[in-house]
Amino acid sequence: MGILKNLLLITIISGSFYLVYRKDEQEMLYIMASIVALLLLFTLVWKLLELKKSSMADEIKKRTITWWWMVAVFMLAIALNKIVSFFFLGFLCFAALREYFSLIPMSEVYQSRTLSFKDRPSVLLCYLTVPLMIYLAYIEWYELFIIVVPVYIFLLIPIIFVLQNRTEGSIKSIGIITLGLLFFSYNLGHCLFMINISPMLIMFCFVLTEVRDLASYWIGKITASATARLSAGMPKRILEYKIAPDVSPNKTWFAGLLSSCFVAALSLGFVPIMPQFPDGSLTYTYALIVGLLIGILGLFGDLVFSMVKRDVKSKDSGTLLPGHGGIIDRVDSLVFTIPVTFHLFYWMYF
């Protein structure tokens, strides 16, 4: 069974490379090859940790295998027809939204962390916005795409509550529902319109965001190990200074900012391979600014959803992705980085 899975994985990745090669998209091939090389490096690390019988080996193995499959599916979706890319990214938004609502139980007892069964029409409306966003992105109706959720749908939800003749628990339910709507249908949904600009812009944002997550994980491990060997003093206090200890006990300012700087430096490698935009090409200065913002916003996206999960008493958002948790555990940073990256590029180059 393991051999068949490996063959399928190799087939998907090879097929993606072939399709991109047929399109003569050399820049995309370069990015894809870099991602595969990075995954091969992590595979080597996992094998070495297994040989040394390290306690981290099993966790790194699960994370790496899951990364291989996520990258393979993402590459195939980008390499195939534009419509396939729309449906894949739209499904990602829908799945994240579904996972969000699954974290919050429904009950007729009005508590701080529950929805009411009366909220079902509003939740259904949130789900229906995903195909609407796909359609608006596909026909490239930017003016409506950008306002339909934060204006019209946002206004429609409290109207539904009024028509249901509700009072008790309404503010709490509206807050929970609209937060999920804005995070996963709207913010994450910006990746749909990125397809119209350039698949390379999607790769720019996705790669830098996910590399930030990886860098943060490893830098956190390394700095924690180094800090443990330090004696009490100013350097130790700087390295151990927490961002929000109640939200995430292990996240420090030093590791977070160092990861952001690493992402900013990595963003410079995209400059020569990014396409020409209507109002110019990506400059090294602008890439550095956007890269740094991706690093910082990715950090806070991670922390915001740690806050949400702690509030609903859940360690992970799901169990779909071994070693990672759920879909939200993988897209939480993207919820913050995608819309900002999209608008920074749209404002500067379109």
Side-chain angles (χ1 to χ4, degrees):
M1 190 65 179
I3 295 174
L4 289 176
K5 284 184 178 180
N6 290 337
L7 285 174
L8 178 60
L9 182 65
I10 292 169
T11 302
I12 293 173
I13 293 175
S14 301
S16 302
F17 272 90
Y18 176 73
L19 290 169
V20 173
Y21 174 76
R22 286 288 301 273
K23 293 178 183 178
D24 197 27
E25 296 178 350
Q26 299 298 322
E27 296 82 4
M28 186 67 77
L29 283 174
Y30 171 77
I31 296 298
M32 289 167 63
S34 300
I35 294 171
V36 170
L38 183 63
L39 286 174
L40 288 171
L41 175 62
F42 277 105
T43 302
L44 179 62
V45 170
W46 137 41
K47 294 291 186 182
L48 290 173
L49 288 173
E50 275 191 331
L51 289 174
K52 293 181 179 180
K53 301 188 184 302
S54 170
S55 58
M56 293 175 59
D58 188 57
E59 181 185 0
I60 301 301
K61 177 181 178 179
K62 287 179 180 178
R63 282 176 171 265
T64 305
I65 291 173
T66 303
W67 267 116
W68 273 112
W69 283 103
M70 288 192 296
V71 165
V73 173
F74 178 71
M75 282 182 176
L76 186 62
I78 296 297
L80 286 170
N81 188 279
K82 181 180 176 181
I83 296 177
V84 177
S85 300
F86 274 109
F87 276 101
F88 170 76
L89 294 174
F91 175 77
L92 186 66
C93 296
F94 178 86
L97 185 63
R98 173 69 185 84
E99 195 171 82
Y100 169 77
F101 284 124
S102 72
L103 289 173
I104 304 164
M106 283 191 173
S107 170
E108 289 308 327
V109 179
Y110 292 104
Q111 298 173 349
S112 61
R113 290 185 293 272
T114 62
L115 291 173
S116 167
F117 291 115
K118 294 178 182 178
D119 293 324
R120 285 171 174 170
S122 299
V123 171
L124 176 61
L125 177 62
C126 293
Y127 290 139
L128 293 176
T129 61
V130 175
L132 175 61
M133 295 292 279
I134 294 173
Y135 175 71
L136 293 176
Y138 183 72
I139 64 174
E140 300 187 32
W141 191 351
Y142 173 77
E143 293 79 10
L144 186 57
F145 177 89
I146 214 68
I147 65 169
V148 66
V149 169
V151 179
Y152 299 111
I153 304 298
F154 189 82
L155 293 177
L156 185 56
I157 288 174
I159 290 174
I160 291 174
F161 276 64
V162 170
L163 293 175
Q164 290 177 315
N165 195 32
R166 297 175 59 180
T167 54
E168 189 176 7
S170 57
I171 294 176
K172 174 208 63 179
S173 289
I174 289 172
I176 292 172
I177 291 168
T178 54
L179 189 68
L181 174 71
L182 292 174
F183 275 159
F184 302 110
S185 179
Y186 186 67
N187 282 18
L188 189 60
H190 274 68
C191 64
L192 294 163
F193 216 93
M194 278 185 171
I195 300 173
N196 299 324
I197 294 179
S198 169
M200 280 298 295
L201 182 56
I202 295 178
M203 295 298 285
F204 176 85
C205 186
F206 270 58
V207 169
L208 292 182
T209 302
E210 297 305 324
V211 166
R212 189 219 69 85
D213 286 352
L214 284 170
S216 177
Y217 175 80
W218 284 105
I219 290 173
K221 292 282 187 185
I222 293 168
T223 53
S225 177
T227 304
R229 294 193 294 268
L230 290 176
S231 56
M234 182 62 72
K236 187 179 179 71
R237 288 199 297 272
I238 291 173
L239 290 174
E240 288 183 332
Y241 194 68
K242 311 293 184 184
I243 301 173
D246 289 339
V247 174
S248 184
N250 298 321
K251 291 287 193 303
T252 64
W253 280 109
F254 179 82
L257 294 175
L258 187 58
S259 302
S260 299
C261 291
F262 175 75
V263 169
L266 186 64
S267 69
L268 300 177
F270 279 85
V271 175
I273 60 176
M274 289 295 281
Q276 180 76 18
F277 299 117
D279 291 342
S281 56
L282 179 64
T283 64
Y284 285 100
T285 302
Y286 204 64
L288 197 66
I289 293 170
V290 177
L292 185 61
L293 282 172
I294 286 175
I296 295 170
L297 288 168
L299 168 64
F300 281 99
D302 190 3
L303 287 168
V304 164
F305 283 98
S306 292
M307 174 185 70
V308 171
K309 286 182 289 186
R310 286 189 180 277
D311 192 28
V312 298
K313 310 300 182 187
S314 176
K315 181 180 182 295
D316 295 317
S317 63
T319 57
L320 182 64
L321 306 174
H324 295 265
I327 293 174
I328 293 176
D329 294 307
R330 278 277 46 87
V331 304
D332 51 7
S333 297
L334 290 168
V335 167
F336 279 65
T337 61
I338 281 177
V340 173
T341 301
F342 172 86
H343 287 291
L344 285 173
F345 273 82
Y346 198 88
W347 169 72
M348 177 63 76
Y349 298 113
F350 290 84

